[in-house]
Amino acid sequence: SAAFAVLSFQCAYIKARWPAEFLASVLNNGGGFYGPAAYIQEARRFGLRVLGPDVNRSERRYTGDSAEGWLRVGLKAIRGMTRERTEPIVRARRERPYAGLEDFLARSGAGQEEARTLILAGALDCFGQTRPQLSLDLDLCFGQRPAAGQPEMFA
């Protein structure tokens, strides 16, 4: 029990001093007893801004900066995005940020379904378009007509 007490003290100290980094590490390691939503809520309780996934700023995993007061969701946290899918996105971005959807598709090697998943998760919001606009542009990039029932303003 003494070893557990030491470990508990160390975790409490790290969480009090560096909450963003601590919570990012907990989330990256599966969280333990609670699901990710509980740790995200804990981050907000600590006053951290929880930033969504972003192809120009997110790493594969959760990241945090206690000095600046933020915790950012990693690309890996998006359902369906595996290491094999996220690694090329992050690697291609390191030379320069993505300028838009076409640039993202050309440089990252992402396919249509991956891009659609990222659009729905908000990871492509950094391009300054709405999600319906991005979805339409994605279909056009892959040479598809807009889906039936799509409003005229998007057709």
Side-chain angles (χ1 to χ4, degrees), residues 60-99:
R60 282 190 56 255
R61 300 166 58 122
Y62 286 88
T63 53
D65 188 328
S66 296
E68 293 184 20
W70 55 263
L71 175 71
R72 182 171 297 278
V73 176
L75 296 175
K76 184 180 96 169
I78 300 170
R79 183 166 295 165
M81 297 300 292
T82 62
R83 173 186 279 277
E84 293 76 28
R85 292 180 170 196
T86 58
E87 198 68 38
I89 293 169
V90 173
R91 191 177 328 114
R93 178 203 63 218
R94 292 223 167 105
E95 55 188 66
R96 70 181 189 280
Y98 298 113

Side-chain angles (χ1 to χ4, degrees), residues 22-111:
F22 176 82
L23 290 168
S25 295
V26 169
L27 286 161
N28 288 330
N29 288 307
F33 185 75
Y34 301 105
Y39 296 104
I40 297 292
Q41 188 61 33
E42 182 77 356
R44 289 187 177 118
R45 192 177 71 74
F46 268 87
L48 299 173
R49 288 177 295 131
V50 178
L51 306 172
D54 183 324
V55 293
N56 276 331
R57 292 180 184 90
S58 290
E59 297 297 326
R60 282 190 56 255
R61 300 166 58 122
Y62 286 88
T63 53
D65 188 328
S66 296
E68 293 184 20
W70 55 263
L71 175 71
R72 182 171 297 278
V73 176
L75 296 175
K76 184 180 96 169
I78 300 170
R79 183 166 295 165
M81 297 300 292
T82 62
R83 173 186 279 277
E84 293 76 28
R85 292 180 170 196
T86 58
E87 198 68 38
I89 293 169
V90 173
R91 191 177 328 114
R93 178 203 63 218
R94 292 223 167 105
E95 55 188 66
R96 70 181 189 280
Y98 298 113
L101 180 62
E102 293 84 9
D103 182 42
F104 169 75
L105 293 171
R107 291 184 18 217
S108 70

